[in-house]
Structure formats: structure tokens, C-alpha cells
Amino acid sequence: MPIDKQERTRILIIEDEPMLALDLEEIIVDAGFKLAAIAGKLDKALALIESGGFDAAIVDANLAGVSASPLAFEMTARGLPFIVLSGYSSEQLQGAFPRALFLQKPCRPDQIIQALNTICPSNKIVSNRSNQE
């Protein structure tokens, strides 16, 4: 039986600001990705990484004052691609996320989608929101 639909890439969002997490969800779903889960705290994010169920992640570098670098370590150890989305510059993070693609907040939806397409080349969805915001 032929498969008509390619399985969508599942994205884990790790973001402590609820409104930003919802914005990210809308961006990725509109772009053809599938939301795997949202975590706003380090312990919940670590549990989600442990349980799997996602293909890539968008990670805020700072979760309510706590560094998300343990998440980077765990995802790197599992070979899972991720994007670091942070209000801090890459220089300020001093290499805490060496294997991640880095985006500085605020960024446009098309930048997020382009970064996801870079780390998840099998999805390659073109956004219809590319010039918004």
C-alpha cells in the first residue's frame, strides 16, 4: 500500500514563557511540523528527552533562571538535533550549546523554520508565514 503522506517531523518546544511557547507551536504547525510536546521547566524537559517521542527540539537557553545546558548534553548524547533560541547572544552563552544551531530572540518565524529545515532536512517545508512579523 503506497504512503501518500510523509510523516511530519516531531518538534519538542522547551520554553518557559507560555506565550512564546504558543507562538512557536503555531509557527511550527503552520510550517508542516508536528508538535511533540512543550516543556517550560528543566526537569520536565529532561523527562521528555528521556522518553523520546520527538525528532528535534527548540530550546530556550535559560528556563526561569536555570541554564538549559543539561538538555543540550542529553540531546547531543542521543544524536538529536536542536536549535537554541535565546535572548542572550551566542558569545554570552560561552559555548554551553556547542552543537546547536543558535537563534537570538526576537527572531522572525521564517528564521525559525529555516533553522528547523537545516537540522531536519527530511521535512523541508516551506512556510507560508515567511515574511510575517
Side-chain angles (χ1 to χ4, degrees):
M1 173 165 56
I3 297 174
D4 295 329
K5 224 164 108 172
Q6 178 183 6
E7 185 65 30
R8 294 184 296 158
T9 302
R10 302 163 299 168
I11 307 297
L12 171 61
I13 296 173
I14 303 171
E15 171 60 58
D16 63 335
E17 296 289 336
M19 292 306 294
L20 184 51
L22 291 174
D23 287 347
L24 289 170
E25 176 183 5
E26 183 179 344
I27 291 166
I28 67 167
V29 170
D30 285 354
F33 294 92
K34 181 177 179 178
L35 176 68
I38 297 175
K41 296 188 184 233
L42 186 65
D43 56 347
K44 180 178 179 184
L46 285 168
L48 287 168
I49 292 168
E50 183 71 30
S51 65
F54 68 98
D55 303 302
I58 300 172
V59 180
D60 184 355
N62 184 315
L63 300 171
V66 176
S67 173
S69 60
L71 303 176
F73 176 80
E74 290 298 323
M75 285 188 282
T76 300
R78 289 171 169 73
L80 294 166
F82 60 99
I83 297 164
V84 173
L85 184 60
S86 178
Y88 295 103
S89 71
S90 57
E91 292 80 21
Q92 288 173 305
L93 295 175
Q94 297 290 322
F97 305 93
R99 302 205 187 249
L101 188 55
F102 180 85
L103 294 175
Q104 188 167 5
K105 294 177 186 177
C107 65
R108 297 183 322 267
D110 66 300
Q111 292 172 303
I112 295 166
I113 295 160
Q114 181 180 6
L116 285 171
N117 283 331
T118 298
I119 67 169
C120 305
S122 62
N123 205 64
K124 285 293 183 199
I125 303 296
V126 176
S127 170
N128 58 358
R129 295 177 55 139
S130 62
N131 292 319
Q132 294 181 1
E133 295 182 41

